[in-house]
Amino acid sequence: MTTTRRSILGLMGAAPVAAGSVAALAPRAHAASGTGSGHGDVPAELRPDGALDRFIAELAERDEFSGSVLVARRGREVLARSHGSANRERSVPNGPDTAFILGSINKIFTAVAIAQLVEQRALRYDDTLGALIGGFPAGTAERVTVHHMLTHTSGMGDFHGSAAYRERSPAWDSAEEVMNGITDVVRELPLLFDPGAGQTYSNSAFHVLGAIVQEVAGVPYHDYVRERVFEAAEMAGAAFLTRTEWRADPEVARPYAPGPDGGELVEVIDAHGFIGTPAGGAFATCLDLVRFARALTAGELVGSAQAELLLSPKMPLPGGGSGGPGEGGGPGGGEPVAAEPGRAMTFEGYGTPLALSGDTWVVIRSGGSAGVSTSLQIFPPAAEWAVVVLSNYGERAGAPIADLARQILTS
């Protein structure tokens, strides 16, 4: 689906249909007091029955969107909507407590883990790969740095596309085998270009960053992120589910994508790996991601200096965005974003792109893969606004909703 600003704004007059809502978000201890839904300077377009609400409903009515949306200001709900089914076979609807697979959103969790270790002086952003983890060829180990991997300038590509990954991954049935197996695959892949000489979206680089977290912290990557990110941010619904756990829980949203003939949507759990990796595939609810945004910008995950470093632009992205296949994607949700006249300028940060629209910076971390379209947008400072769109349809089903919310907040 390709949706421009003009086509989105043209849909603002659409009639609403019934949609679910959640109660006011439980305030965190640090949360600043804020206006509730429909009060103060909340734009009318973001309130219930406003332009965004009507647009979400129209997409759902056309069966182009299935999922949940949460717009929050200062950690408090402004608009919450859920449409479609988490599990079609059992007629389980999506709701405010539905957990979705996130795709590449959890690249920012991996970046936070790295920042925590930098803050503890356990590593540096200019450390070379070889100084932190062994087994890589000298040309890679001695030239690729943590900074290169965080900014997709390492020259590493995407392990998902390699023959070795496709051949070996079906046999992996533990988190340890997944982590070690992918690391071994990446060790065997040549660099696409000299580190720092180019930029290409790299799931391989973010997997290796997770392997570094595991090596330096001395605990498995998944355990580290559960404790130091999910639990620290009070993300009660966040988890790394195995494919078996995912299939067994009817309350977790299953992914749906067009079948081989491009027709009726089918469930595609088997298109995903055994368990999420540092490059993508954790599970969370919309509320979990709002709490993450607040915790990150409030200094609860890393100090203010490290948080500012994570969420600041490092380099402009050519063509206005970055993207890649597999558990990935740039601001558009998994595809390269073409430049348009008047389009916001997009930059790479550490673990997340950022857009500059007028004088407003927006953190835009998205993900897209088979039956996955997700977006987390944070409006610094202090996550004044957070917009979460989680869909279990297609690779870009949620992107038009995220785009419209951003346009309203930056207009």
Side-chain angles (χ1 to χ4, degrees), residues 336-379:
V337 180
E340 299 175 4
R343 183 184 181 87
M345 294 181 288
T346 311
F347 299 79
E348 195 64 75
Y350 275 171
T352 182
L354 302 97
L356 178 60
S357 181
D359 59 356
T360 302
W361 282 105
V362 187
V363 175
I364 307 175
R365 180 63 270 173
S366 60
S369 60
V372 179
S373 179
T374 61
S375 174
L376 166 63
Q377 299 183 88
I378 307 172
F379 293 72

mmCIF file of all heavy atoms in Angstrom, residues 336-379:
data_model
loop_
_atom_site.group_PDB
_atom_site.id
_atom_site.type_symbol
_atom_site.label_atom_id
_atom_site.label_comp_id
_atom_site.label_asym_id
_atom_site.label_seq_id
_atom_site.Cartn_x
_atom_site.Cartn_y
_atom_site.Cartn_z
ATOM 1 N N PRO A 336 12.451 0.845 1.477
ATOM 2 C CA PRO A 336 13.098 2.126 1.270
ATOM 3 C C PRO A 336 12.059 3.210 1.040
ATOM 4 O O PRO A 336 11.012 2.963 0.459
ATOM 5 C CB PRO A 336 13.943 1.886 0.010
ATOM 6 C CG PRO A 336 14.150 0.412 -0.030
ATOM 7 C CD PRO A 336 12.912 -0.190 0.541
ATOM 8 N N VAL A 337 12.331 4.390 1.531
ATOM 9 C CA VAL A 337 11.386 5.491 1.440
ATOM 10 C C VAL A 337 11.883 6.492 0.403
ATOM 11 O O VAL A 337 12.974 7.036 0.532
ATOM 12 C CB VAL A 337 11.227 6.198 2.807
ATOM 13 C CG1 VAL A 337 10.236 7.337 2.707
ATOM 14 C CG2 VAL A 337 10.792 5.188 3.859
ATOM 15 N N ALA A 338 11.095 6.725 -0.622
ATOM 16 C CA ALA A 338 11.495 7.657 -1.670
ATOM 17 C C ALA A 338 11.350 9.092 -1.192
ATOM 18 O O ALA A 338 10.423 9.429 -0.461
ATOM 19 C CB ALA A 338 10.630 7.441 -2.913
ATOM 20 N N ALA A 339 12.279 9.931 -1.618
ATOM 21 C CA ALA A 339 12.213 11.336 -1.248
ATOM 22 C C ALA A 339 11.073 12.014 -1.986
ATOM 23 O O ALA A 339 10.800 11.733 -3.137
ATOM 24 C CB ALA A 339 13.530 12.025 -1.583
ATOM 25 N N GLU A 340 10.363 12.930 -1.316
ATOM 26 C CA GLU A 340 9.291 13.703 -1.911
ATOM 27 C C GLU A 340 9.520 15.164 -1.577
ATOM 28 O O GLU A 340 10.076 15.487 -0.528
ATOM 29 C CB GLU A 340 7.929 13.266 -1.349
ATOM 30 C CG GLU A 340 7.581 11.818 -1.611
ATOM 31 C CD GLU A 340 6.285 11.425 -0.918
ATOM 32 O OE1 GLU A 340 5.656 12.318 -0.306
ATOM 33 O OE2 GLU A 340 5.906 10.252 -0.992
ATOM 34 N N PRO A 341 9.082 16.088 -2.437
ATOM 35 C CA PRO A 341 9.204 17.504 -2.118
ATOM 36 C C PRO A 341 8.496 17.807 -0.797
ATOM 37 O O PRO A 341 7.356 17.412 -0.579
ATOM 38 C CB PRO A 341 8.503 18.180 -3.302
ATOM 39 C CG PRO A 341 8.604 17.193 -4.416
ATOM 40 C CD PRO A 341 8.512 15.846 -3.760
ATOM 41 N N GLY A 342 9.183 18.483 0.110
ATOM 42 C CA GLY A 342 8.595 18.842 1.385
ATOM 43 C C GLY A 342 8.607 17.731 2.421
ATOM 44 O O GLY A 342 8.131 17.915 3.532
ATOM 45 N N ARG A 343 9.129 16.569 2.056
ATOM 46 C CA ARG A 343 9.156 15.449 2.983
ATOM 47 C C ARG A 343 10.128 15.724 4.135
ATOM 48 O O ARG A 343 11.150 16.375 3.964
ATOM 49 C CB ARG A 343 9.597 14.178 2.245
ATOM 50 C CG ARG A 343 9.581 12.940 3.128
ATOM 51 C CD ARG A 343 10.125 11.756 2.358
ATOM 52 N NE ARG A 343 10.091 10.578 3.192
ATOM 53 C CZ ARG A 343 9.038 9.788 3.303
ATOM 54 N NH1 ARG A 343 7.951 10.038 2.605
ATOM 55 N NH2 ARG A 343 9.059 8.737 4.088
ATOM 56 N N ALA A 344 9.798 15.199 5.330
ATOM 57 C CA ALA A 344 10.695 15.349 6.461
ATOM 58 C C ALA A 344 12.044 14.712 6.149
ATOM 59 O O ALA A 344 12.126 13.673 5.509
ATOM 60 C CB ALA A 344 10.087 14.690 7.695
ATOM 61 N N MET A 345 13.114 15.349 6.598
ATOM 62 C CA MET A 345 14.447 14.783 6.440
ATOM 63 C C MET A 345 14.631 13.673 7.474
ATOM 64 O O MET A 345 14.214 13.795 8.615
ATOM 65 C CB MET A 345 15.502 15.870 6.623
ATOM 66 C CG MET A 345 15.475 16.939 5.547
ATOM 67 S SD MET A 345 16.763 18.200 5.803
ATOM 68 C CE MET A 345 16.064 19.068 7.219
ATOM 69 N N THR A 346 15.256 12.565 7.052
ATOM 70 C CA THR A 346 15.407 11.404 7.914
ATOM 71 C C THR A 346 16.877 11.106 8.155
ATOM 72 O O THR A 346 17.694 11.202 7.241
ATOM 73 C CB THR A 346 14.726 10.175 7.288
ATOM 74 O OG1 THR A 346 13.414 10.533 6.871
ATOM 75 C CG2 THR A 346 14.638 9.042 8.288
ATOM 76 N N PHE A 347 17.199 10.738 9.395
ATOM 77 C CA PHE A 347 18.571 10.507 9.814
ATOM 78 C C PHE A 347 18.649 9.180 10.560
ATOM 79 O O PHE A 347 17.660 8.715 11.128
ATOM 80 C CB PHE A 347 19.059 11.633 10.729
ATOM 81 C CG PHE A 347 19.059 12.999 10.090
ATOM 82 C CD1 PHE A 347 17.881 13.717 9.960
ATOM 83 C CD2 PHE A 347 20.245 13.555 9.621
ATOM 84 C CE1 PHE A 347 17.878 14.978 9.370
ATOM 85 C CE2 PHE A 347 20.243 14.820 9.027
ATOM 86 C CZ PHE A 347 19.063 15.522 8.902
ATOM 87 N N GLU A 348 19.831 8.602 10.577
ATOM 88 C CA GLU A 348 20.057 7.401 11.381
ATOM 89 C C GLU A 348 20.514 7.805 12.764
ATOM 90 O O GLU A 348 21.340 8.700 12.935
ATOM 91 C CB GLU A 348 21.126 6.530 10.725
ATOM 92 C CG GLU A 348 21.174 5.123 11.282
ATOM 93 C CD GLU A 348 19.891 4.355 11.001
ATOM 94 O OE1 GLU A 348 19.678 3.939 9.861
ATOM 95 O OE2 GLU A 348 19.103 4.172 11.958
ATOM 96 N N GLY A 349 19.942 7.171 13.787
ATOM 97 C CA GLY A 349 20.407 7.327 15.154
ATOM 98 C C GLY A 349 21.113 6.049 15.578
ATOM 99 O O GLY A 349 21.680 5.336 14.753
ATOM 100 N N TYR A 350 21.063 5.728 16.851
ATOM 101 C CA TYR A 350 21.585 4.457 17.343
ATOM 102 C C TYR A 350 20.396 3.527 17.592
ATOM 103 O O TYR A 350 19.687 3.661 18.594
ATOM 104 C CB TYR A 350 22.374 4.658 18.631
ATOM 105 C CG TYR A 350 23.831 5.053 18.442
ATOM 106 C CD1 TYR A 350 24.605 5.439 19.540
ATOM 107 C CD2 TYR A 350 24.439 5.027 17.195
ATOM 108 C CE1 TYR A 350 25.947 5.791 19.400
ATOM 109 C CE2 TYR A 350 25.770 5.379 17.038
ATOM 110 C CZ TYR A 350 26.516 5.761 18.134
ATOM 111 O OH TYR A 350 27.843 6.114 17.985
ATOM 112 N N GLY A 351 20.166 2.632 16.668
ATOM 113 C CA GLY A 351 19.078 1.677 16.826
ATOM 114 C C GLY A 351 17.750 2.152 16.317
ATOM 115 O O GLY A 351 16.777 1.395 16.338
ATOM 116 N N THR A 352 17.663 3.393 15.852
ATOM 117 C CA THR A 352 16.398 3.907 15.364
ATOM 118 C C THR A 352 16.616 5.095 14.452
ATOM 119 O O THR A 352 17.484 5.935 14.717
ATOM 120 C CB THR A 352 15.475 4.323 16.521
ATOM 121 O OG1 THR A 352 14.227 4.782 15.994
ATOM 122 C CG2 THR A 352 16.096 5.422 17.361
ATOM 123 N N PRO A 353 15.862 5.206 13.370
ATOM 124 C CA PRO A 353 15.901 6.423 12.572
ATOM 125 C C PRO A 353 15.173 7.559 13.287
ATOM 126 O O PRO A 353 14.361 7.334 14.197
ATOM 127 C CB PRO A 353 15.161 6.035 11.280
ATOM 128 C CG PRO A 353 15.113 4.541 11.291
ATOM 129 C CD PRO A 353 15.079 4.145 12.733
ATOM 130 N N LEU A 354 15.441 8.776 12.853
ATOM 131 C CA LEU A 354 14.759 9.966 13.343
ATOM 132 C C LEU A 354 14.368 10.818 12.149
ATOM 133 O O LEU A 354 15.084 10.863 11.147
ATOM 134 C CB LEU A 354 15.653 10.793 14.274
ATOM 135 C CG LEU A 354 16.203 10.097 15.509
ATOM 136 C CD1 LEU A 354 17.617 9.593 15.264
ATOM 137 C CD2 LEU A 354 16.192 11.060 16.689
ATOM 138 N N ALA A 355 13.233 11.492 12.263
ATOM 139 C CA ALA A 355 12.781 12.393 11.202
ATOM 140 C C ALA A 355 12.743 13.808 11.748
ATOM 141 O O ALA A 355 12.331 14.033 12.893
ATOM 142 C CB ALA A 355 11.412 11.980 10.696
ATOM 143 N N LEU A 356 13.166 14.761 10.930
ATOM 144 C CA LEU A 356 13.073 16.181 11.267
ATOM 145 C C LEU A 356 12.004 16.794 10.380
ATOM 146 O O LEU A 356 12.171 16.926 9.172
ATOM 147 C CB LEU A 356 14.414 16.883 11.053
ATOM 148 C CG LEU A 356 14.438 18.385 11.336
ATOM 149 C CD1 LEU A 356 14.055 18.665 12.781
ATOM 150 C CD2 LEU A 356 15.806 18.970 11.016
ATOM 151 N N SER A 357 10.875 17.113 10.984
ATOM 152 C CA SER A 357 9.760 17.720 10.259
ATOM 153 C C SER A 357 9.584 19.137 10.764
ATOM 154 O O SER A 357 9.139 19.355 11.890
ATOM 155 C CB SER A 357 8.480 16.904 10.486
ATOM 156 O OG SER A 357 7.396 17.458 9.784
ATOM 157 N N GLY A 358 9.974 20.113 9.938
ATOM 158 C CA GLY A 358 9.983 21.489 10.414
ATOM 159 C C GLY A 358 10.996 21.629 11.519
ATOM 160 O O GLY A 358 12.182 21.368 11.324
ATOM 161 N N ASP A 359 10.540 21.990 12.718
ATOM 162 C CA ASP A 359 11.466 22.087 13.854
ATOM 163 C C ASP A 359 11.192 21.000 14.887
ATOM 164 O O ASP A 359 11.570 21.138 16.047
ATOM 165 C CB ASP A 359 11.365 23.475 14.508
ATOM 166 C CG ASP A 359 9.965 23.789 15.021
ATOM 167 O OD1 ASP A 359 9.058 22.956 14.808
ATOM 168 O OD2 ASP A 359 9.778 24.859 15.625
ATOM 169 N N THR A 360 10.546 19.907 14.448
ATOM 170 C CA THR A 360 10.187 18.825 15.360
ATOM 171 C C THR A 360 10.944 17.547 15.025
ATOM 172 O O THR A 360 10.894 17.073 13.887
ATOM 173 C CB THR A 360 8.672 18.539 15.294
ATOM 174 O OG1 THR A 360 7.943 19.728 15.613
ATOM 175 C CG2 THR A 360 8.291 17.431 16.276
ATOM 176 N N TRP A 361 11.644 17.005 16.011
ATOM 177 C CA TRP A 361 12.292 15.703 15.857
ATOM 178 C C TRP A 361 11.332 14.604 16.281
ATOM 179 O O TRP A 361 10.633 14.732 17.284
ATOM 180 C CB TRP A 361 13.548 15.604 16.727
ATOM 181 C CG TRP A 361 14.740 16.319 16.168
ATOM 182 C CD1 TRP A 361 15.255 17.508 16.591
ATOM 183 C CD2 TRP A 361 15.556 15.878 15.084
ATOM 184 N NE1 TRP A 361 16.356 17.837 15.828
ATOM 185 C CE2 TRP A 361 16.557 16.855 14.897
ATOM 186 C CE3 TRP A 361 15.536 14.758 14.250
ATOM 187 C CZ2 TRP A 361 17.539 16.749 13.917
ATOM 188 C CZ3 TRP A 361 16.508 14.646 13.268
ATOM 189 C CH2 TRP A 361 17.498 15.628 13.110
ATOM 190 N N VAL A 362 11.309 13.525 15.514
ATOM 191 C CA VAL A 362 10.487 12.359 15.850
ATOM 192 C C VAL A 362 11.343 11.107 15.738
ATOM 193 O O VAL A 362 11.983 10.873 14.708
ATOM 194 C CB VAL A 362 9.271 12.223 14.907
ATOM 195 C CG1 VAL A 362 8.358 11.103 15.407
ATOM 196 C CG2 VAL A 362 8.504 13.534 14.784
ATOM 197 N N VAL A 363 11.365 10.306 16.804
ATOM 198 C CA VAL A 363 12.001 8.997 16.759
ATOM 199 C C VAL A 363 11.015 8.036 16.099
ATOM 200 O O VAL A 363 9.858 7.947 16.522
ATOM 201 C CB VAL A 363 12.342 8.504 18.175
ATOM 202 C CG1 VAL A 363 12.899 7.087 18.140
ATOM 203 C CG2 VAL A 363 13.323 9.464 18.852
ATOM 204 N N ILE A 364 11.446 7.329 15.049
ATOM 205 C CA ILE A 364 10.549 6.442 14.315
ATOM 206 C C ILE A 364 11.200 5.065 14.209
ATOM 207 O O ILE A 364 12.066 4.833 13.367
ATOM 208 C CB ILE A 364 10.251 6.974 12.900
ATOM 209 C CG1 ILE A 364 9.752 8.422 12.953
ATOM 210 C CG2 ILE A 364 9.219 6.094 12.214
ATOM 211 C CD1 ILE A 364 9.551 9.038 11.575
ATOM 212 N N ARG A 365 10.765 4.145 15.071
ATOM 213 C CA ARG A 365 11.285 2.782 15.023
ATOM 214 C C ARG A 365 10.149 1.864 14.556
ATOM 215 O O ARG A 365 9.131 1.765 15.204
ATOM 216 C CB ARG A 365 11.765 2.364 16.397
ATOM 217 C CG ARG A 365 12.332 0.964 16.522
ATOM 218 C CD ARG A 365 13.589 0.728 15.709
ATOM 219 N NE ARG A 365 13.336 0.253 14.361
ATOM 220 C CZ ARG A 365 14.277 0.115 13.428
ATOM 221 N NH1 ARG A 365 15.534 0.430 13.697
ATOM 222 N NH2 ARG A 365 13.953 -0.321 12.222
ATOM 223 N N SER A 366 10.332 1.233 13.414
ATOM 224 C CA SER A 366 9.274 0.420 12.834
ATOM 225 C C SER A 366 9.791 -0.957 12.489
ATOM 226 O O SER A 366 10.989 -1.242 12.580
ATOM 227 C CB SER A 366 8.706 1.111 11.590
ATOM 228 O OG SER A 366 9.724 1.300 10.619
ATOM 229 N N GLY A 367 8.868 -1.825 12.094
ATOM 230 C CA GLY A 367 9.237 -3.164 11.694
ATOM 231 C C GLY A 367 8.232 -3.726 10.713
ATOM 232 O O GLY A 367 7.053 -3.372 10.751
ATOM 233 N N GLY A 368 8.704 -4.572 9.833
ATOM 234 C CA GLY A 368 7.804 -5.192 8.878
ATOM 235 C C GLY A 368 8.352 -6.508 8.378
ATOM 236 O O GLY A 368 9.529 -6.620 8.055
ATOM 237 N N SER A 369 7.507 -7.515 8.348
ATOM 238 C CA SER A 369 7.857 -8.811 7.780
ATOM 239 C C SER A 369 6.548 -9.541 7.531
ATOM 240 O O SER A 369 5.482 -8.917 7.499
ATOM 241 C CB SER A 369 8.791 -9.596 8.707
ATOM 242 O OG SER A 369 8.176 -9.833 9.951
ATOM 243 N N ALA A 370 6.586 -10.854 7.359
ATOM 244 C CA ALA A 370 5.384 -11.602 7.025
ATOM 245 C C ALA A 370 4.323 -11.461 8.122
ATOM 246 O O ALA A 370 4.519 -11.915 9.247
ATOM 247 C CB ALA A 370 5.727 -13.077 6.830
ATOM 248 N N GLY A 371 3.222 -10.785 7.801
ATOM 249 C CA GLY A 371 2.163 -10.584 8.772
ATOM 250 C C GLY A 371 2.504 -9.632 9.888
ATOM 251 O O GLY A 371 1.870 -9.654 10.943
ATOM 252 N N VAL A 372 3.469 -8.767 9.692
ATOM 253 C CA VAL A 372 3.930 -7.844 10.730
ATOM 254 C C VAL A 372 4.053 -6.441 10.161
ATOM 255 O O VAL A 372 4.713 -6.229 9.140
ATOM 256 C CB VAL A 372 5.304 -8.261 11.305
ATOM 257 C CG1 VAL A 372 5.763 -7.270 12.370
ATOM 258 C CG2 VAL A 372 5.250 -9.678 11.872
ATOM 259 N N SER A 373 3.407 -5.470 10.808
ATOM 260 C CA SER A 373 3.588 -4.062 10.470
ATOM 261 C C SER A 373 3.478 -3.275 11.763
ATOM 262 O O SER A 373 2.394 -3.162 12.342
ATOM 263 C CB SER A 373 2.529 -3.585 9.469
ATOM 264 O OG SER A 373 2.702 -2.213 9.169
ATOM 265 N N THR A 374 4.588 -2.748 12.242
ATOM 266 C CA THR A 374 4.619 -2.120 13.561
ATOM 267 C C THR A 374 5.339 -0.782 13.512
ATOM 268 O O THR A 374 6.197 -0.553 12.670
ATOM 269 C CB THR A 374 5.335 -3.030 14.581
ATOM 270 O OG1 THR A 374 6.694 -3.236 14.163
ATOM 271 C CG2 THR A 374 4.627 -4.370 14.699
ATOM 272 N N SER A 375 4.978 0.081 14.451
ATOM 273 C CA SER A 375 5.618 1.396 14.510
ATOM 274 C C SER A 375 5.545 1.944 15.919
ATOM 275 O O SER A 375 4.501 1.887 16.565
ATOM 276 C CB SER A 375 4.928 2.375 13.543
ATOM 277 O OG SER A 375 5.452 3.690 13.685
ATOM 278 N N LEU A 376 6.676 2.461 16.397
ATOM 279 C CA LEU A 376 6.760 3.221 17.639
ATOM 280 C C LEU A 376 7.329 4.585 17.293
ATOM 281 O O LEU A 376 8.427 4.678 16.749
ATOM 282 C CB LEU A 376 7.669 2.523 18.653
ATOM 283 C CG LEU A 376 8.104 3.364 19.867
ATOM 284 C CD1 LEU A 376 6.903 3.757 20.717
ATOM 285 C CD2 LEU A 376 9.132 2.603 20.714
ATOM 286 N N GLN A 377 6.571 5.641 17.583
ATOM 287 C CA GLN A 377 7.042 7.006 17.368
ATOM 288 C C GLN A 377 7.098 7.732 18.702
ATOM 289 O O GLN A 377 6.131 7.726 19.464
ATOM 290 C CB GLN A 377 6.106 7.752 16.407
ATOM 291 C CG GLN A 377 6.034 7.105 15.030
ATOM 292 C CD GLN A 377 5.169 7.907 14.076
ATOM 293 O OE1 GLN A 377 5.639 8.814 13.392
ATOM 294 N NE2 GLN A 377 3.892 7.568 14.009
ATOM 295 N N ILE A 378 8.247 8.330 18.973
ATOM 296 C CA ILE A 378 8.465 9.059 20.214
ATOM 297 C C ILE A 378 8.790 10.502 19.856
ATOM 298 O O ILE A 378 9.651 10.762 19.011
ATOM 299 C CB ILE A 378 9.627 8.453 21.028
ATOM 300 C CG1 ILE A 378 9.424 6.956 21.247
ATOM 301 C CG2 ILE A 378 9.784 9.170 22.363
ATOM 302 C CD1 ILE A 378 10.633 6.259 21.875
ATOM 303 N N PHE A 379 8.122 11.434 20.528
ATOM 304 C CA PHE A 379 8.336 12.850 20.279
ATOM 305 C C PHE A 379 9.062 13.436 21.490
ATOM 306 O O PHE A 379 8.428 13.761 22.503
ATOM 307 C CB PHE A 379 7.003 13.566 20.057
ATOM 308 C CG PHE A 379 6.289 13.147 18.802
ATOM 309 C CD1 PHE A 379 5.698 11.901 18.704
ATOM 310 C CD2 PHE A 379 6.215 14.003 17.711
ATOM 311 C CE1 PHE A 379 5.037 11.497 17.548
ATOM 312 C CE2 PHE A 379 5.560 13.617 16.546
ATOM 313 C CZ PHE A 379 4.978 12.363 16.467
#
